[in-house]
Amino acid sequence: LVYLKKGGDDKRMADQYRAAGKMPEALSALQQAEDDWKQALVYFHKYHDIDPVFQSNYSRMGWVYIQLADIERAKGNNTLADQYDQDAENGYKEYLSATICGIPQNELTRQHWDRTHRHFDLHLPGIDTSEFAPLASEMFENLGNLRFMRGRYTDAARAYKLAIWQTPTNVRILKN
């Protein structure tokens, strides 16, 4: 989280330098932001190995990938930018489909979660799963936003509809 925050601070500094016409300083601060965000990803991936179902980690990794994609697009590296965007989308979809939960070492209850379990569609007997709806809604919204930015409007609309299905009164998603 420290590297995530530091990258954001460095990016804001880069924007301020650029607005002031100080391009060498702006480029240096932007490079530092990129380095910080890449380091954040190193730690987020390590955390993913420890706790592969922690929703916030997926959101954070997706956000970092999108920031790195923006930097690469500004540099003219569209292929790498597209890969970063795809990494973000893959993370969102991994969380929503709960694929990591079905891996044998993570499926401690041996209930074949790979066939029955989704983070947005949990129906476990005797367990209140309503707490998962806002988490899934946020992830569907993130996925919709990313697809919208990538010009995939039909796919974005589908993700937004799934977000609304989870939290029908979320005005931000309804606007999207």
Side-chain angles (χ1 to χ4, degrees):
L1 289 176
V2 170
Y3 285 105
L4 178 72
K5 171 102 171 83
K6 188 172 178 315
D9 290 347
D10 292 333
K11 174 68 167 69
R12 278 186 290 284
M13 285 301 296
D15 292 342
Q16 290 173 1
Y17 283 136
R18 187 177 49 240
K22 299 178 179 180
M23 290 312 292
E25 293 89 345
L27 291 174
S28 177
L30 190 59
Q31 181 60 54
Q32 186 60 53
E34 182 178 1
D35 293 345
D36 291 335
W37 284 329
K38 286 180 179 178
Q39 191 61 44
L41 281 175
V42 167
Y43 287 109
F44 289 148
H45 282 286
K46 287 181 179 185
Y47 189 84
H48 180 270
D49 291 341
I50 295 167
D51 185 0
V53 298
F54 183 55
Q55 184 263 349
S56 296
N57 201 46
Y58 288 91
S59 295
R60 292 170 183 150
M61 284 192 296
W63 187 87
V64 170
Y65 281 128
I66 291 167
Q67 302 313 303
L68 292 173
D70 287 346
I71 290 172
E72 292 305 325
R73 263 193 204 85
K75 292 178 182 178
N77 298 334
N78 291 332
T79 301
L80 185 54
D82 289 343
Q83 182 57 55
Y84 281 137
D85 282 339
Q86 190 59 50
D87 290 340
E89 182 162 339
N90 290 344
Y92 296 147
K93 291 188 324 191
E94 178 185 313
Y95 175 79
L96 288 165
S97 66
T99 53
I100 202 79
C101 296
I103 294 175
Q105 67 265 26
N106 297 329
E107 192 177 350
L108 301 176
T109 59
R110 305 289 183 249
Q111 294 179 354
H112 303 288
W113 281 20
D114 58 327
R115 293 190 296 251
T116 62
H117 171 75
R118 298 291 178 264
H119 287 185
F120 63 94
D121 189 18
L122 288 177
H123 302 290
L124 303 174
I127 298 174
D128 177 16
T129 60
S130 61
E131 67 182 280
F132 295 104
L135 300 177
S137 180
E138 177 187 338
M139 199 63 67
F140 277 122
E141 180 183 12
N142 290 344
L143 184 59
N145 291 342
L146 176 61
R147 289 173 171 176
F148 182 85
M149 288 185 310
R150 297 179 82 186
R152 294 173 43 206
Y153 304 118
T154 301
D155 292 335
R158 186 177 307 118
Y160 290 140
K161 287 176 185 176
L162 288 167
I164 291 168
W165 173 55
Q166 295 295 309
T167 54
T169 59
N170 186 319
V171 175
R172 187 180 62 245
I173 298 169
L174 288 168
K175 287 181 180 179
N176 288 344

